[in-house]
Amino acid sequence: MSARFTGSFTQQEPIPEEGIAAAVEAMRHGRLHRYNLVPGETGEVALLEEEFAAFTGARYCLAVASGGYAMATALRAAGVGPGDAVLSNAFTLAPVPGAIASLSAHPVHVGVTEALTIDLDDLAAKADRARVLLLSHMRGHIADMDRLMAICDAAGVTVIEDCAHTMGAAWRGVPSGRHGVAGCYSTQTYKHMNSGEGGLIVTDDAELAARMILLSGSYMFYDRHGAAPPPEAFERLKWEVPNVSGRMDDLRAAVLRPQLRTLAARCDAWTERYRAVEAGLRGTPGLTLIDRPEAERFVGSSFQFLLLDWPAEAVAEVVARAAARGVELKWFGEAVPRGYTSRYDAWRFAPAEAMPATDRVLAGLLDMRLPLTFSLEDCALIARILRAEIGAVAARGAPADQRRA
Ligand SMILES: *Cc1c(COP(=O)(O)O)cnc(C)c1O
């Protein structure tokens, strides 16, 4: 009757044996620093950079210490500095405004739509306020990139993509991270490849790549990189660009390389799980599913839905009842930041204007992880639990005009 889900929303798959063996090998020889190589050797980090560049089709790739570091480095290399404004999503994770703030710049928040993508009308209205957009494909929802790039190109705005949730995704066949001048990825445990912490940046721009490599702390070892521009690109820059140390080490790269080989298949497995939850929730009164456009090839590593215009107490009750049955929901409507979840108005270092349309979406936005350790049956059970608990709360009070699906 009231089955309880007993799986763990925070349990990843193990590191592939091949990655464990490569990591043990690196620990045995002890040369973990990426530039500590024996003659003729190419390190794991350089190999990962080559392989990830090939995976995305980018000319250049740089591996770094985290996704947040990747974004800050791309912004800095693109010329963002103290006092600058950077357009960015109001709906994203804290490291995104944090990357902007790390340069003593400040975000100009752009709203979110019911499709959970950046509000392109709001972007167009604010495009003259900054030279750079740090675009977060938050929770894997990809905006209409054709229109977005047209708006930014017309306004002379450089786009840097935060692809923490879109590694392996694409818009109209173009990999996420390849629309803007640079794409930033995270390999933190909850993302699509897991090295505990880590980040990757791709670009086709040789000067930007050279700046980012020097910023990451290459010293004068930029010739030991896997997917870097030729040494000439560094000639002038090596005198100008500071070393803001944030390299990746060979241990993490060793753990990541085998995961890259199975990334496409794992992305498909995530999306299968997403579709199983979606199918189980379709038609639930009061619940709005998120439309996924044809042009978007998304990776369903997490699932979102809306209880649009529900009173806060009713949403809170759904969260509590789901939790009691083992289903962990994160709620972006909560007034106080909790766990990983916070909202733009909680980032008080970055003053926000009133954004009522965004507030309405966030107030009803629920979010959950779908780790690959869940089976399709698990996903169906999760959907049944949510359907029942949302139904129970809706039956007791949600006004009739909120019943949509
Ligand atoms: C995780 C995450 C990041 C940052 O990644 P870290 O590697 O943890 O610094 C950036 N953006 C989004 C949307 C994320 O979820």
Side-chain angles (χ1 to χ4, degrees):
M1 276 287 291
S2 51
R4 200 171 181 285
F5 180 65
T6 55
S8 166
F9 282 80
T10 52
Q11 182 58 58
Q12 316 308 335
E13 292 186 297
I15 300 303
E17 284 304 325
E18 217 188 321
I20 294 173
V24 169
E25 167 64 19
M27 287 189 283
R28 290 233 155 85
H29 64 56
R31 287 177 278 101
L32 303 185
H33 174 66
R34 67 171 295 168
Y35 305 126
N36 185 6
L37 304 168
V38 294
E41 185 185 17
T42 308
E44 293 281 347
V45 181
L47 290 168
L48 173 67
E49 287 167 343
E50 277 173 23
E51 290 161 0
F52 196 72
F55 178 80
T56 57
R59 237 180 246 149
Y60 312 117
C61 174
L62 171 67
V64 294
S66 74
Y69 184 88
M71 292 184 285
T73 302
L75 289 168
R76 187 167 186 157
V80 173
D84 287 347
V86 176
L87 295 156
S88 193
N89 306 58
F91 169 50
T92 185
L93 216 70
V96 178
I100 297 168
S102 77
L103 302 172
S104 299
H106 59 273
V108 173
H109 303 300
V110 184
V112 65
T113 67
E114 286 179 39
L116 303 190
T117 54
I118 193 166
D119 181 337
L120 295 179
D121 295 331
D122 196 29
L123 177 64
K126 293 173 176 166
D128 61 351
R129 294 209 214 160
R131 287 180 36 250
V132 175
L133 165 65
L134 179 55
L135 171 66
S136 185
H137 303 293
M138 177 63 170
R139 293 299 189 253
H141 298 272
I142 304 179
D144 178 341
M145 290 304 294
D146 305 308
R147 187 169 163 224
L148 184 145
M149 290 309 299
I151 291 167
C152 290
D153 289 346
V157 169
T158 298
V159 178
I160 293 171
E161 295 177 71
D162 164 25
C163 305
H165 306 149
T166 55
M167 182 189 278
W171 176 265
R172 241 181 261 297
V174 177
S176 189
R178 301 286 293 132
H179 293 86
V181 69
C184 304
Y185 307 79
S186 168
T187 62
Q188 185 247 71
T189 290
Y190 295 114
K191 314 302 162 92
H192 300 173
M193 294 201 292
N194 171 15
S195 58
E197 307 290 350
L200 291 156
I201 318 171
V202 298
T203 184
D204 282 346
D205 183 313
E207 172 157 348
L208 194 78
R211 283 183 185 279
M212 295 193 298
I213 289 167
L214 289 163
L215 281 169
S216 76
S218 68
Y219 304 94
M220 298 302 139
F221 296 115
Y222 40 78
D223 59 335
R224 298 188 187 180
H225 276 250
E232 306 83 83
F234 296 84
E235 258 329 299
R236 174 178 52 89
L237 296 174
K238 72 184 180 192
W239 303 96
E240 294 173 10
V241 179
N243 175 329
V244 188
S245 196
R247 293 170 303 273
M248 183 180 278
D249 59 89
D250 269 3
L251 196 54
R252 286 175 199 186
V255 161
L256 290 170
R257 290 181 60 219
Q259 296 180 54
L260 182 56
R261 293 196 270 281
T262 59
L263 178 59
R266 284 183 298 113
C267 288
D268 290 347
W270 263 306
T271 303
E272 243 190 305
R273 280 151 185 76
Y274 180 101
R275 291 297 190 194
V277 175
E278 183 184 51
L281 289 179
R282 198 174 292 286
T284 304
L287 178 145
T288 307
L289 291 171
I290 312 301
D291 277 333
R292 308 302 308 233
E294 272 286 313
E296 181 196 36
R297 189 179 78 221
F298 68 95
V299 180
S301 51
S302 65
F303 191 93
Q304 294 73 40
F305 61 87
L306 295 169
L307 299 178
L308 217 43
D309 302 326
W310 278 45
E313 316 78 67
V315 181
E317 198 184 337
V318 167
V319 173
R321 292 176 72 123
R325 293 185 64 185
V327 176
E328 268 175 47
L329 295 174
K330 302 181 206 174
W331 178 28
F332 279 88
E334 210 162 12
V336 173
R338 189 189 296 275
Y340 291 101
T341 309
S342 64
R343 213 170 45 197
Y344 73 95
D345 51 352
W347 307 327
R348 293 188 185 165
F349 55 86
E353 300 159 31
M355 306 184 82
T358 289
D359 294 343
R360 173 172 174 257
V361 171
L362 296 180
L365 177 55
L366 294 155
D367 172 37
M368 66 182 173
R369 290 199 171 99
L370 291 178
L372 286 179
T373 49
F374 288 3
S375 66
L376 294 176
E377 293 69 40
D378 289 339
C379 294
L381 172 59
I382 289 166
R384 281 199 302 279
I385 289 171
L386 288 175
R387 196 183 185 95
E389 299 307 327
I390 290 166
V393 176
R396 278 202 294 96
D401 66 350
Q402 290 161 12
R403 308 196 172 209
R404 43 172 108 190

